[in-house]
Amino acid sequence: MTEWIAPTATGPVTASVRLPGSKSMTARALVLSALADGPSAIERPLRARDTELMAGALRAVGVTVDTGRDDRWTVQPGELRGSARVDVGLAGTVMRFAPPVAALAEGTVTFDGDPYARNRPMRPLVEALRGLGVTIEAAPTGGLPLTVHGAGLVEGGEVVIDASASSQLVSALLLSAPRFTKGLVLRHEGPPVPSAPHLRMTTHMLRAAGAVVDDSTPDVWTVEPGPLRGHTWEIEPDLSGAAPFFAAAMVTGGTVTLAGWPVRSWQPVDRLTALLTGLGAEVTQTGEGLTVRGTGALHGIDADLSEVGELTPVVAALAALADSPSRLRGVGHIRLHETDRVAALARELTKVGADVTEHPDGLDITPGPGRSAVFETYDDHRMAHAGAVVGLTVEGVGLSDVACTSKTLPEFPELWAGLVARS
């Protein structure tokens, strides 16, 4: 791997960027389309490693997914069949959303992925599916590699899960639940489920496809059995993917607009706005998109990021460049993401000059004089984003592997370099 030197800004960044679609929405649209009773279209999807792997997983069980056009994918459901092997890569969506689909197929489907994928939490999902009558063989850890012995149907009913490690454990079951013979009553018991906005996205999209979902009782989700309709999905720009570009405006005192942002969104834009405003930015929404303007000041914050854990690396990078200390809380669950992001951020931000204290659920970050260093990315796209943000003002920050950004935004290096060149 060739080290990539993060470009340093020489002035305010002013730009309008148009980013690919949301990974989370694209993944959910693919699954709901695969289980529908007719064809679907996905407008402006994200084409990246995670979503290509999801499309491949669905093709493996008999679904026709045409990704030939960048701007419009089509999905034609088919009779679900097994006798397949699925590569999940390092994608939490694929390793969790696809096994319940495989349980509806006739035959066996085996799942495995990148080495670190075997460390990601799967046991609660495996045990829940077993509780619903699905036969699954899993590794001693309860996760990958695993084999689903599909019987062509899942009876469904009531099941309890501890989804405190990931909201995807809940979404995985909900997305397939309309196809269960008895539907699903899912109860969460345990510490709070993180990333609640992603659960709301799941229920919104289920309803858009015709499912009857009741989430009015906290930590209980009821999905009635019934058909899912074919649908045309309009995928929003990826809000988490936009975070480093907004950070560029904040760090340099510039202005960045995310073009194509919808007036009403299924993503946690209000939470992002509050965070960036707390850090010192001005955030506005107009017909042209969502705009973030740097005010020339970057302040430390005390923030609970439990609902938006994906934003932690970029927020931590901003905290390392701020004018006062920060405390980031509520993100113990991101230790189980693509890497242990809490520990990785503590190590790498310390290397580039910050004073960082690691806690079980977060970080204390005190800014310090920046210094050049190799910023390890750990095969994690969000870590690469954090390193790039620090490199805006700290010269000589080299990312060990910028290619890992292909997980969700393959064109990130070119977009980032072009953005900074306009400073």
Side-chain angles (χ1 to χ4, degrees), residues 174-199:
L174 298 184
L175 289 167
S176 291
R179 291 284 300 270
F180 297 171
T181 304
K182 295 181 179 178
L184 179 68
V185 177
L186 181 62
R187 302 177 188 277
H188 162 70
E189 292 183 359
V193 181
S195 304
H198 283 94
L199 287 176

Side-chain angles (χ1 to χ4, degrees), residues 52-306:
E52 293 276 18
L53 287 169
M54 181 67 83
L58 297 173
R59 290 190 190 105
V61 296
V63 180
T64 300
V65 184
D66 184 350
T67 59
R69 286 175 53 180
D70 286 340
D71 62 339
R72 190 175 199 265
W73 293 358
T74 58
V75 181
Q76 178 65 55
E79 183 176 349
L80 298 179
R81 61 177 186 269
S83 302
R85 299 183 65 86
V86 171
D87 176 12
V88 307
L90 197 50
T93 48
V94 183
M95 70 180 71
R96 293 169 182 144
F97 293 2
V101 177
L104 294 163
E106 285 273 7
T108 61
V109 183
T110 300
F111 295 85
D112 204 359
D114 296 358
Y116 191 81
R118 297 184 176 190
N119 298 333
R120 302 195 70 179
M122 288 285 289
R123 185 186 294 277
L125 175 62
V126 169
E127 292 179 348
L129 286 170
R130 286 174 176 160
L132 295 170
V134 179
T135 301
I136 302 181
E137 299 167 18
T141 60
L144 297 171
L146 60 83
T147 299
V148 178
H149 296 274
L153 59 84
V154 175
E155 185 173 349
E158 296 195 20
V159 72
V160 175
I161 191 171
D162 178 354
S164 56
S166 174
S167 65
Q168 290 176 353
L169 300 167
V170 173
S171 291
L173 292 165
L174 298 184
L175 289 167
S176 291
R179 291 284 300 270
F180 297 171
T181 304
K182 295 181 179 178
L184 179 68
V185 177
L186 181 62
R187 302 177 188 277
H188 162 70
E189 292 183 359
V193 181
S195 304
H198 283 94
L199 287 176
R200 291 193 288 272
M201 178 186 292
T202 297
T203 55
H204 287 323
M205 294 182 72
L206 275 162
R207 293 184 181 111
V212 178
V213 184
D214 182 356
D215 59 353
S216 59
T217 301
D219 292 333
V220 180
W221 299 266
T222 301
V223 182
E224 300 293 335
L228 292 168
R229 297 190 299 264
H231 190 75
T232 297
W233 299 100
E234 302 280 348
I235 306 299
E236 301 172 6
D238 194 299
L239 192 62
S240 296
F245 297 92
F246 290 150
M250 298 167 64
V251 169
T252 66
T255 303
V256 169
T257 297
L258 176 60
W261 185 253
V263 174
R264 300 184 66 180
S265 170
W266 289 346
Q267 298 179 78
V269 64
D270 290 344
R271 190 72 186 96
L272 175 73
T273 298
L275 274 172
L276 299 190
T277 300
L279 284 157
E282 292 181 358
V283 184
T284 56
Q285 184 169 349
T286 67
E288 295 183 357
L290 188 65
T291 298
V292 174
R293 187 178 73 83
T295 60
L298 199 56
H299 307 305
I301 55 169
D302 184 337
D304 181 343
L305 303 180
S306 57

Side-chain angles (χ1 to χ4, degrees), residues 307-341:
E307 290 198 345
V308 286
E310 286 283 319
L311 300 177
T312 305
V314 165
V315 172
L318 288 169
L321 303 174
D323 58 12
S324 59
S326 293
R327 176 75 198 275
L328 308 182
R329 299 174 284 108
V331 290
H333 62 286
I334 71 170
R335 292 183 179 278
L336 301 169
H337 281 196
E338 283 78 349
T339 188
D340 180 341
R341 286 179 174 166

